[in-house]
Amino acid sequence: MRTVIAGNWKMNKDLPQAMDLLARLAAAAPVGDVEVVVAPAFPFLGQAVERLRGTRVAVAAQHCHEAAGGAFTGEVSAPMLASLGVRFCIVGHSERRQYCGETDALVNARIRALLAAGITPICCCGERRAEREAGRQQEVVGAQLREALAGLSAAELMRIIVAYEPVWAIGTGLNATAEQAQDMHAFIRSVLRGLAPEAADQVPLLYGGSCKPDNAAELFACADVDGGLIGGASLEAASFLELVAIAHRCKQPR
Ligand code: 13P
């Protein structure tokens, strides 16, 4: 199984700050075979690809539109991202669901657009606090995934990454416990198995939500946690690189 550590910078860093962080990541020695991905804001993606060329760090976008092009002012398409050398794209993040009306149907359309453009979708799912308190977390995440991934072939499913990000853990300092993460990741694996048995064991399942160097080891040690989608701790080179090193230690040899 691949191990992936992806940094979602969200709407943080101006150009000099982004270039400084990219330079620090580019200068760092590669750690094992952990796949390292960073997702700066749209304006900096082209420069990020150039700055990281020849390193083992790949570039992700945080969003894309489902259409290949056309009259969609302010939007960015998957073919545009591919033409820059962007290799991954986050889809269905809870912040885009909450603030930008991203529905499961849109997530599905965007995943299809990304796959058609040769970009790896990082498909986010996760329940809200009230849903977990009501014991509905599997129902919610199962429904999100079945709609987001509807109609994809096994070959397409093998090309995606899933990130489980419980909404109550994002930016709160309150991470899921290792047990909560492993339970949900095993459930997600079972949902994937129901969609395409041959793909289920190929899809990296990332945990996201207040994942930091001081809690990452127990999360990454879980059998079905294949890495992390990191927000706050990806904004500093030291903490992000520490997370890469922890993932390497937890997942070798596999
Ligand atoms: P934090 O790591 O800041 O909780 O953010 C997680 C996240 O939303 C990554 O996409």
Side-chain angles (χ1 to χ4, degrees):
M1 173 59 77
R2 297 151 62 197
T3 302
V4 181
I5 297 292
N8 176 7
W9 295 4
K10 307 192 179 183
M11 197 171 73
N12 292 295
K13 301 198 178 288
D14 60 14
L15 180 60
Q17 292 165 340
M19 296 311 292
D20 179 66
L21 179 49
L22 291 167
R24 290 172 197 271
L25 298 178
V31 179
D33 41 15
V34 176
E35 287 180 54
V36 184
V37 180
V38 290
F42 274 141
F44 314 131
L45 289 176
Q47 280 150 295
V49 170
E50 294 309 320
R51 188 66 187 81
L52 295 172
R53 197 177 294 286
T55 75
R56 303 243 327 272
V57 185
V59 175
Q62 300 175 18
H63 163 67
C64 80
H65 194 272
E66 60 277 15
F72 300 100
T73 301
E75 286 287 353
V76 174
S77 73
M80 290 174 183
L81 297 173
S83 74
L84 283 176
V86 169
R87 293 192 26 230
F88 297 79
C89 182
I90 298 167
V91 194
H93 193 283
S94 63
E95 287 151 16
R96 292 210 64 92
R97 293 175 189 262
Q98 181 177 351
Y99 304 127
C100 307
E102 188 158 29
T103 60
D104 292 323
L106 279 172
V107 174
N108 181 263
R110 289 170 183 169
I111 287 175
R112 288 164 183 274
L114 288 164
L115 290 170
I119 295 174
T120 299
I122 302 176
C123 174
C124 301
C125 57
E127 81 286 358
R128 295 166 172 279
R129 180 189 302 276
E131 293 163 341
R132 177 163 283 268
E133 284 170 356
R136 294 182 51 228
Q137 63 270 21
Q138 292 192 352
E139 176 197 329
V140 169
V141 169
Q144 286 174 338
L145 284 176
R146 277 185 275 265
E147 191 165 352
L149 306 178
L152 298 189
S153 68
E156 287 172 326
L157 272 176
M158 281 183 206
R159 294 172 48 208
I160 70 163
I161 292 173
V162 172
Y164 169 56
E165 299 206 310
V167 178
W168 47 270
I170 295 176
T172 59
L174 181 71
N175 59 288
T177 64
E179 188 184 1
Q180 288 171 325
Q182 171 56 29
D183 282 355
M184 182 59 83
H185 283 222
F187 170 73
I188 291 170
R189 193 84 71 196
S190 74
V191 172
L192 296 175
R193 199 162 282 120
L195 295 173
E198 60 274 52
D201 293 320
Q202 311 285 324
V203 177
L205 306 183
L206 313 186
Y207 169 78
S210 297
C211 184
K212 306 241 168 354
D214 63 1
N215 59 29
E218 58 174 341
L219 289 162
F220 297 164
C222 298
D224 287 298
V225 176
D226 306 309
L229 180 55
I230 315 299
S234 74
L235 297 176
E236 299 289 338
S239 48
F240 187 61
L241 292 168
E242 177 65 15
L243 287 167
V244 174
I246 293 169
H248 174 63
R249 283 202 295 276
C250 290
K251 294 302 182 188
Q252 299 294 327
R254 291 208 297 178

